Structures are given as C-alpha cells and as structure tokens.
Amino acid sequence: MALNRSPPSPPTHSMRRSPTAAAFLLCLSGPLVAQTPSQAPAQGPQPYTPPKFQLLRWKEDWSKLLDNPEAKQAHPWLAYKAVPLSDDKEWWVSFGANVFERYEAIDGFRFGSAPNGVNQDSYWLTRVFAHADWHFGKHFRAMTEIKTCWSTDRELQGGDQPINVDSLDIHNFWLEGKTDVGGNTTATLRGGRQELAFGRERLISILDWPTTRRIFDGFSSTWNRGPFALTAFWVRPLRVDRFEFNESNDDQVFYGAYGIYNQKPWTVELYSLYTDRDNRTIQGFSGTEKRQTNGLRIERPFADAWKAEFEGTWQTGSLGQADIEAWMTGSELSYTFKNEPWKPTLLVGLEAASGDQSPTDDEINTFDTLYPLGHMWFGFVDAVGRRNVIGPNLGLRLQPTDDLKVRLDLHHFERLEDDDVLYDVADVQIVPVAGLPPAGASKEIGQEIDLVVSYTFNRFAKLDLGYCYLFAGDYVKQLTQGEAWSLFYAWLYLTF
C-alpha cells in the first residue's frame, strides 16, 4: 500500500526546494502575522483587519490600507499589499504570491491495469505564482501574474503531465474597465488572459488541484445591479506547453452567459453556455462539435441549520451527422449541529450524468463536463468523472478547533447506461481502455472513502493531509485486475 512506502527523498535542486522552505519559515514567523483584531495597533482611529486571501486573487480588496499607515508600521508585510503610485493614491498596486508543495503517493493506478504496466508511484509537485494587481483610478485596472510549476519524475501513465509542468509562463494578464451606468448598475469589461469560475464549479472551475490551474484567453463582461449579476464571455482555453510559452487552443471556442441572483436566503443561477470544437471524434462521429449547455442552480439555507442545493443541466447540439442530447444533475442536503462540540455537519448528495443509450443510433447522449472541478464531487482519486455515472454520497465535516478541520466523504459509483463505459475526471475512457463493455457487464464501479485533515497555521500557511481509497466494484473487476486504487497526499499551501 502507498502509506507503507517510504516517501522519496525531497528533491535537492535549489530552485525547487529553497523557495518553498524559505517561504514556509517566513509564513510561520509569528511577528509578521496579524491574527486577530487584538493584535492590531493600539493607537489609531480604526484598527485594520486584513481581508482573507482568495483563490481568485483579484477578488481581494486592499484599498483601505492606502489611508492606514499605522497598520503598515505594525505589520510590515502589509506595506506590499497597497503601494501608492501617485500622490493622490488613485494609482496603486498590490503584490502577492502563492507557493504550494504537494507529495502524492498512488497505489493500484487504473485498478492495477495501467497500459504501461506501472501501477504504483510517488512524486512531488511544486507551484510558484507571483502577481501584481494594478489600479489606475476608479475605472481602470490590470492584473499581471507569472508562474512556474514543476514535478519530479512521474512514471505512471501520462508521465509528467502538462497540467503539472509549466517551466515559466504568464498566468493572468488582463486589462479591465469599469463604469457606473446609473440606476445602481455597474458594467465591467475585461480582456486578456483570465480565470473563470462559476457556482460550485461543477462545470466551470479554475481547477486549483493541478499546479498550473486552468486559464483562458478572451473577453468577459459583467453587469451588477443590486443582488443581480450577469457575466457574458467569449474565450479560448489555453494549451499548456511545458517548456514554451502557452498559446490559446484555436480549435476550441467557449462562450455564453451566466446570471446570478443572490439575495438572502436565496441563491439562484441561470446559465447558457456554448462550445465549438473542431476535429472532434466521439462514439464514431467526427467533425466540428457544437454543444449548448443550459442549466439552473438553486441554493437555500432554511430552519437555521439546514441547507439545500440543486443543479440541473441539459445539453443539445451536433457532431457530424449525430445529434447531441445529454444531461447532468447534482444535489446536496446538509445539517449543521451549531451548538455541539466540533460543529459537525452531515451531508447527503447525489451526482449523476447521462451516458450513451445505444452505440448504433445517430445520437450522442454522453454528457460533456466542460471545464469542471471534478474530484470535489466524484472523489479525490479522480478515477470517476461526470459521464455515464450515478453517485450517491454521504459526508461529514468537523471543526475540532478554529484552525483544524476534518472532511470525510463516502461515495458509491455506478454506470448509468449498459452500453457506455467508465470515464475518469479528465473525460478519458479507462474501463475498458477502448471499445464497449461486454454484454451483461455489471454497472457497479465501486465505493470510495476520502479523509482530508486541514490545519491552518496562520493566514499565510495551510497543510492538508488526505487519504483516499477506491474499492473496485464488479464492473471494474470484470475488465481489469480489480485492485483498489488509493491516493495519499500531503499539501502545503503558502499564500502572501
């Protein structure tokens, strides 16, 4: 088993290890950390509490620091979060960075039937991002961010994956204009290289799990009016070139509109998304794929401790001579024991997506996952994706202390259609690796248990430890070696 193996010696290359180690020591140093309002300066009209770091760094607002020199004196790191560029402070810039180091150990890869014969491996992943968020008055803004991402040798099928290796590249690089159009309405236009994320990221996600993260080239525009927001976009996904500068994929266009109504207690989202992809082949049909995805997501807390969420999506379109008709759904119901020790939250959910009903007709029914965050919904092993699947799940969340959180998830997976296969989180057919399943094959894929323990040292440093174990079901046992597929990881995440 992966847990019984000694981890490899940490890489010795100074460019890989020194930045992480130095950043870790810096982030744990107590004198630099503003933890609570009681640590804020005793003098001054308004003690300053820094905003929380965000995965989407452009969502952080450090503007209040411009008129708070006392906070910068008390906590020197804050001086880099709001640097004036003009005497009136209308022009200013905020600097930041994040570094992560993750160790992964995998056993039973592809259920013991990897095409290259390697079923067990361990490796290190490293990411370094650094950004500057530029503000030019109230109406104009720019975001510049660079990255370098590395992996030690990975011998599993796929090798050192492009999603985890990008020697040096530009991540975010966009310009934005914002204006007040009246009637409590603002309009924003953004052009350039940018990240997109909507809802609970079942379909569109920044995908923070790989080192490189997902990025697009194109344009987006957002209108905000009170509790309403509408974003329209036209983008192309990027192809990651490990040792050259990345370029957008000219064979794919992704565009659409995503509307959000957020007025407590309701969150309602409506969207219409379009993908045009050249040179596609699915189930024997080839050509340009045109696919439309229309959906609805609703979320609402009720009775103080309960929360319910539902999302449903329908896809239509064409590929060559074939029509596309597909769907997916996701739902979750949770209850939090707010007055109990460790504040336990119980969750029950159901995730499902259509598969192809017949290999001989002229219709494609397998759902296309677009650009999702997969393992949040189908397990961290990433053996199951949102295609031809039904997956009920149970979850438990615990918070023993303010800094310590525990996540436990149990999944059961089955194929939805007899004549379609098992796809992984990247939409790759893995069981069987080619062709169709035999007649009479079981639908049971297996059961997965995921345990993740997260400890937050301070606002700069967080450590996740995860162990995930997927038991092979009858379908998998019939077509592979039937070994259990497991993942252990230790993930150090540093943010400035």
Side-chain angles (χ1 to χ4, degrees):
M1 299 300 298
L3 282 176
N4 295 328
R5 302 170 62 210
S6 298
S9 299
T12 57
H13 197 297
S14 62
M15 290 187 67
R16 293 195 67 255
R17 301 303 297 166
S18 297
T20 304
F24 182 56
L25 293 175
L26 175 64
C27 289
L28 294 185
S29 58
L32 297 182
V33 179
Q35 285 292 309
T36 66
S38 63
Q39 293 175 300
Q43 304 298 323
Q46 294 182 347
Y48 178 76
T49 300
K52 292 182 178 180
F53 294 128
Q54 304 284 333
L55 281 177
L56 293 169
R57 302 303 302 271
W58 56 268
K59 287 189 174 183
E60 299 167 11
D61 182 6
W62 298 93
S63 59
K64 293 181 180 179
L65 267 177
L66 293 168
D67 297 314
N68 201 322
E70 295 86 358
K72 294 183 179 181
Q73 293 174 1
H75 307 290
W77 67 273
L78 290 176
Y80 300 96
K81 305 307 291 185
V83 180
L85 300 176
S86 62
D87 292 338
D88 60 5
K89 301 177 184 178
E90 289 291 317
W91 286 33
W92 59 281
V93 61
S94 176
F95 297 102
N98 78 70
V99 178
F100 90 39
E101 188 80 18
R102 189 168 70 235
Y103 169 74
E104 295 185 5
I106 295 177
D107 197 9
F109 185 69
R110 296 285 184 94
F111 303 104
S113 299
N116 68 349
V118 179
N119 303 315
Q120 187 182 69
D121 196 12
S122 58
Y123 46 89
W124 292 85
L125 302 172
T126 301
R127 169 205 287 172
V128 180
F129 277 35
H131 74 263
D133 184 4
W134 307 84
H135 297 258
F136 307 107
K138 297 180 180 179
H139 300 291
F140 297 98
R141 184 181 182 185
M143 184 75 168
T144 56
E145 186 172 38
I146 60 173
K147 64 182 176 183
T148 180
C149 308
W150 293 96
S151 170
T152 58
D153 289 341
R154 180 182 182 274
E155 298 179 358
L156 298 173
Q157 185 76 20
D160 299 334
Q161 299 167 301
I163 61 172
N164 286 321
V165 178
D166 198 358
S167 57
L168 180 63
D169 219 304
I170 297 170
H171 192 63
N172 276 289
F173 188 86
W174 47 258
L175 301 174
E176 178 184 275
K178 182 178 181 180
T179 186
D180 187 344
V181 296
N184 194 30
T185 303
T186 60
T188 302
L189 177 64
R190 178 179 298 177
R193 186 161 295 183
Q194 56 191 286
E195 294 173 301
L196 296 177
F198 293 104
R200 298 192 70 185
E201 302 187 37
R202 285 186 175 95
L203 298 177
I204 307 174
S205 171
I206 61 175
L207 198 59
D208 193 53
W209 179 259
T211 62
T212 59
R213 294 185 30 158
R214 182 179 287 130
I215 197 76
F216 300 88
D217 280 341
F219 299 90
S220 63
S221 181
T222 301
W223 294 266
N224 287 282
R225 181 184 177 91
F228 296 96
L230 176 65
T231 298
F233 59 89
W234 186 99
V235 296
R236 294 184 186 273
L238 256 67
R239 287 191 175 114
V240 176
D241 190 321
R242 293 183 292 179
F243 305 112
E244 302 289 341
F245 283 111
N246 299 332
E247 297 181 355
S248 54
N249 188 340
D250 292 337
D251 291 337
Q252 298 187 25
V253 176
F254 182 40
Y255 57 100
Y258 202 106
I260 302 173
Y261 170 81
N262 194 351
Q263 181 73 56
K264 292 183 178 180
W266 289 95
T267 298
V268 180
E269 301 172 355
L270 285 168
Y271 50 86
S272 186
L273 314 172
Y274 300 82
T275 53
D276 287 357
R277 295 166 172 164
D278 296 334
N279 305 314
R280 293 274 283 178
T281 298
I282 301 176
Q283 296 163 5
F285 298 97
S286 298
T288 297
E289 178 194 29
K290 296 183 177 293
R291 190 179 293 245
Q292 179 179 356
T293 303
N294 295 318
L296 165 71
R297 194 182 81 86
I298 301 174
E299 182 177 304
R300 188 188 192 280
F302 60 95
D304 187 44
W306 291 88
K307 180 184 285 187
E309 187 245 0
F310 169 81
E311 184 167 5
T313 295
W314 184 259
Q315 290 184 336
T316 59
S318 63
L319 172 60
Q321 300 300 313
D323 294 326
I324 295 173
E325 297 281 348
W327 58 268
M328 81 88 184
T329 184
S331 58
E332 184 177 87
L333 179 66
S334 66
Y335 182 86
T336 300
F337 297 87
K338 296 183 177 180
N339 298 321
E340 299 297 325
W342 296 15
K343 301 177 183 177
T345 296
L346 298 176
L347 308 96
V348 58
L350 179 66
E351 304 290 328
S354 61
D356 199 57
Q357 299 173 356
S358 171
T360 59
D361 64 12
D362 58 356
E363 190 170 270
I364 297 172
N365 305 118
T366 305
F367 186 77
D368 187 280
T369 58
L370 301 183
Y371 305 97
L373 175 61
H375 66 212
M376 184 62 67
W377 308 106
F378 292 97
F380 282 68
V381 171
D382 284 347
V384 181
R386 193 180 292 276
R387 284 185 165 200
N388 189 41
V389 66
I390 183 167
N393 60 82
L394 298 173
L396 173 66
R397 307 289 183 266
L398 300 173
Q399 190 168 349
T401 70
D402 289 342
D403 300 321
L404 182 63
K405 296 180 180 180
V406 179
R407 171 183 179 139
L408 177 66
D409 291 303
L410 304 174
H411 300 269
H412 176 81
F413 303 120
E414 293 197 5
R415 293 184 304 135
L416 201 61
E417 300 292 345
D418 288 324
D419 291 326
D420 208 345
V421 300
L422 168 61
Y423 303 88
D424 69 8
V425 72
D427 291 345
V428 176
Q429 176 179 336
I430 63 171
V431 181
V433 294
L436 297 174
S442 172
K443 288 186 174 182
E444 182 194 16
I445 297 170
Q447 297 77 35
E448 181 170 333
I449 179 170
D450 296 341
L451 175 64
V452 180
V453 179
S454 301
Y455 184 76
T456 302
F457 296 96
N458 51 48
R459 70 163 44 246
F460 303 105
K462 177 185 174 185
L463 176 66
D464 283 0
L465 298 175
Y467 184 66
C468 314
Y469 197 89
L470 174 56
F471 299 88
D474 288 343
Y475 172 72
V476 171
K477 291 178 180 178
Q478 291 170 6
L479 299 174
T480 71
Q481 295 295 321
E483 294 183 15
W485 186 342
S486 66
L487 163 69
F488 168 76
Y489 68 90
W491 187 359
L492 179 64
Y493 205 107
L494 309 177
T495 308
F496 164 70

